[in-house]
Structures are given as structure tokens and as C-alpha cells.
Amino acid sequence: MTIRLPGPGGSLRDHTPRAEPASFTTGAPLVSRTVFSAAHVVADPLADAGPGAAAVDWDATLAFRRHLWAHGLGVAEAMDTAQRGMGLDWAGAAELIRRSTAEARSAGGAIACGVGTDQLTGPATLAEVRAAYEEQLALVEGTGAQAILMASRALAAAASGPEDYLDVYGHLLRQASEPVILHWLGPMFDPALDGYWGWPDLDAATETFLGVIAAHPDKVDGIKVSLLDARREVELRRRLPQGVRCYTGDDYNYPELIAGDEQGFSHALLGIFDPLGPLAAEAVRVLDTGDTAKFRELLDPTVELSRHLFEKPTRFYKTGVVLLAWLAGHQSHFTMVGGLQSARPLPHLARAYELADGLGLFPDPALAESRMKSLLSVYGVDQ
């Protein structure tokens, strides 16, 4: 049996789906690396929501988090992958945090949650930015979850230079009751964050970022770096104070960064580990035994899929992530909050299916094939 998939220029090609999925085992939390998967939200397609409104299927959303925990991964909640600022507003994110942290306690799963300023919907002063951060930090810490201080569009717009970042982040770190993860999200993920830390030049921005950490090393568990630049991440992690971790957010170069070198390694907080969850956990369990070569053998082949999903415009990678969740049977539909399922063209989606199928990511390849064919038929591609 074959499936006809669209390619560049309107061409069609035949793909023979896998007959059997790859086999991945569930298991205990990972040992040698701390690994979080940023997780997507499942929309409620039957809700009578208006244009751009966020209606969430809470049962399916929480079931997907249990799937990740079952494989030993932690969940990074209410992050970019959950469409923060791209369909999911602060009210929805707050509800997601409350529900997911309760579920984490029940399941015994690790969870860290995003703290931002997205309740601000227009121009804001630095005082208002700080207050918005404080509100979200209080909610996350009140649930017992670890806080991830996310990059803020409002702060990027309000700050006049690096001193404003030092002031706002210093204030928040002094207030935090437990060490947090600092998140540096590059403009490829969100153009509104260009010039973050007060400088358009990344070398200068790095110095401000390190200055924040150096002033409060006891309040920083680690940093999540999402700049898609492996060399820069390695240089940055080598300059971190003792005890401060680097969580790679590099969805292009994660195998080499997690494997590390003679001077250290990165932990992980990755959106690509949403569709790769079972495979990624299996690879890290191999790394737990010290077998770096086998770890790379398992994880390196996934990079082609990740680079495809995160191709420019990178911020629309969530569309491919949700497509693969639907094809894998984790949800009953390919619908996203805010209608973001329309953000990628059909040839992109077809290639995502083909690459994921080749990796054995679909527990039921026949179901994935049937669902992909139904999507193709909606677009007028006959089989």
C-alpha cells in the first residue's frame, strides 16, 4: 500500500508507510540529564469560539502530559509550544498551569511552568511589566511548580537598555522563593523579542544575560537557550556559575548539545520532544548507561524531522507538532487554538508525516496513514 504525497511545485510522489512502529518502553525518570518536553495544547474543535479564541480540550491536553510523564520526561508547561501569545492568552495559560500542576502531583511527574507578561495587551511601563511578571510568578509558585521566567514582548518594547533588564530580572529573582529557569528565546521564534537583553548584538546581549545570573546565582537553577546556534550555546554554558545548568532549547542541534563534550553538556527543554517523547526518553536512558555512541545513533536521525518542523518562519513549528500528535492518535482531530492549523502548507505537512513515519513515531501506522489520507482528500489530493 502506498500514499500519494504532494511535494514542491505541485508534484506528487508515492510513499510506502511503515508496517510496524518502532518499540519504545515507558520507565522511571531519567538520570544523567534533566529533560523537559514543552507540550502543546489540544483544542476543542466543537466549541463555539469566535475567531482567534482559545477553546481547550482539557481531557485530551492532560492525557498528553500523562503520556510524556509515563516515559520519564518532565513537562514544560504553558510555554511557546502551548501557543502562548499565538492563540492561548493568559487566562487560558493560567488555567492550563493550574490543571497541569494538579495532574503532575497525581501522576508523580516533573513540571515547570512559564512565567511571562502576556496579560498585558498594549504598551506598558516597566512598572507594569514587573507587576505582570509578579502576578504570574505568584500563581506558578502557588501551585508548587518550578518557574520558568520567559522572555517578555512587553519588556522588549518598554526597556530602553540593558539596565532595565538587570533591574526587572533582579527584582523578580529576589522575589522568587525557589531557583528558576531563565529563558532566552531568540527572534526566530518571536520577532518581537529582537534586541532582548538590551542589545541587537548577541555577544553584547550575552554579557547582560550573564550579568543577571552572576548577581543572583542562588536563584537560578538554569537557563534555557533557544537561539539555534550550537557554538554560542556551548560557549555560554562554559561561562555559567557552578551549579547553574544549561537546558538546550536548540531544536536544530540538540543531540550533540545533550551528549556534550569533555567540558560539560546541556540538559534539555525542547519543543521537538513533544512528538519525539518516547524516542527521546529511550535515547537518554541509553545515555544514562554511558553509551554516547548509541545515544547519538538513536537521536541523530530525528534531526531532519526537527529541522523541517522548525524551518522558517520558525514560530509556526507548532502546526507540525499538533499534526503529528493527531496522526499518532493522541487527539481526535487536527485543529488548533486560533486556527493555527492553517499556518503551514500541505507539502510541509506531508513531509512531516513522511519523516515521522520513517522514524517509527506512530504507534499505529495504519491509523496515521488513514488520517493523512483524509487530510489530503480535504485538500483535493486523490489517492
Side-chain angles (χ1 to χ4, degrees):
M1 297 291 292
T2 62
I3 179 171
R4 301 177 74 210
L5 299 175
S11 62
L12 292 173
R13 65 186 184 282
D14 288 336
H15 169 71
T16 302
R18 263 181 99 114
E20 300 291 336
S23 177
F24 307 113
T25 58
T26 58
L30 311 174
V31 176
S32 63
R33 305 290 187 271
T34 300
V35 181
F36 290 97
S37 167
H40 74 282
V41 292
V42 182
D44 179 355
L46 303 183
D48 188 14
V56 177
D57 181 335
W58 295 112
D59 289 342
T61 293
L62 296 177
F64 187 77
R65 280 128 184 86
R66 291 194 297 272
H67 154 73
L68 294 171
W69 287 319
H71 285 275
L73 299 168
V75 168
E77 189 56 276
M79 300 292 291
D80 185 52
T81 306
Q83 295 183 242
R84 284 289 289 270
M86 290 186 69
L88 189 70
D89 60 12
W90 166 235
E95 183 67 11
L96 178 62
I97 289 167
R98 285 189 286 263
R99 289 176 180 257
S100 290
T101 51
E103 197 72 20
R105 287 194 296 273
S106 175
I111 189 167
C113 299
V115 170
T117 62
D118 44 332
Q119 66 270 57
L120 300 173
T121 57
T125 65
L126 287 173
E128 289 170 332
V129 169
R130 192 171 72 180
Y133 263 131
E134 289 173 339
E135 177 190 354
Q136 295 199 16
L137 179 62
L139 184 145
V140 169
E141 291 195 330
T143 68
Q146 184 176 22
I148 304 170
L149 291 187
M150 302 170 67
S152 162
R153 293 175 181 173
L155 178 55
S160 59
E163 63 283 350
D164 289 333
Y165 290 89
L166 291 167
D167 178 67
V168 170
Y169 276 92
H171 178 86
L172 294 169
L173 290 173
R174 286 190 294 272
Q175 281 202 338
S177 60
E178 299 291 339
V180 307
I181 298 173
L182 295 180
H183 185 193
W184 186 356
L185 190 70
M188 67 289 295
F189 288 93
D190 187 342
L193 299 176
D194 193 23
Y196 211 72
W197 305 112
W199 302 97
D201 176 73
L202 290 180
D203 290 335
T206 296
E207 297 306 316
T208 304
F209 187 46
L210 287 170
V212 170
I213 299 164
H216 307 277
D218 59 322
K219 288 296 187 74
V220 181
D221 165 69
I223 62 170
K224 169 178 158 56
V225 187
S226 300
L227 299 175
L228 304 183
D229 184 334
R231 177 196 59 80
R232 184 174 296 279
E233 179 174 321
V234 170
E235 292 176 354
L236 180 55
R237 80 184 182 203
R238 289 176 180 172
R239 296 179 62 189
L240 293 175
Q242 185 71 25
V244 176
R245 312 181 197 200
C246 180
Y247 293 90
T248 187
D250 188 331
D251 299 278
Y252 282 7
N253 304 292
Y254 51 93
E256 65 187 79
L257 291 165
I258 296 170
D261 55 30
E262 66 283 353
Q263 297 185 51
F265 57 82
S266 295
H267 299 273
L269 199 165
L270 288 161
I272 191 55
F273 281 5
D274 179 304
L276 292 184
L279 192 160
E282 190 97 345
V284 176
R285 284 197 181 86
V286 169
L287 190 59
D288 289 345
T289 70
D291 192 343
T292 303
K294 180 64 174 178
F295 165 80
R296 295 294 299 269
E297 182 183 327
L298 285 170
L299 209 55
D300 281 1
T302 68
V303 171
E304 185 178 6
L305 171 63
S306 187
R307 286 178 175 254
H308 176 72
L309 295 182
F310 285 79
E311 70 183 12
K312 295 179 180 179
T314 303
R315 63 189 181 277
F316 293 128
Y317 74 88
K318 299 102 169 166
T319 301
V321 166
V322 173
L323 171 80
L324 297 183
W326 172 55
L327 296 177
H330 293 298
Q331 56 192 78
S332 61
H333 58 85
F334 177 41
T335 308
M336 299 176 67
V337 297
L340 205 63
Q341 68 273 9
S342 64
R344 292 291 201 188
L346 185 62
H348 176 93
L349 303 179
R351 182 60 176 157
Y353 160 75
E354 185 177 28
L355 291 170
D357 181 59
L359 293 168
L361 296 183
F362 303 131
D364 184 345
L367 174 66
E369 178 188 356
S370 173
R371 288 185 168 184
M372 191 66 208
K373 284 181 174 177
S374 71
L375 180 65
L376 291 166
S377 70
V378 169
Y379 280 81
V381 180
D382 296 327
Q383 299 297 312

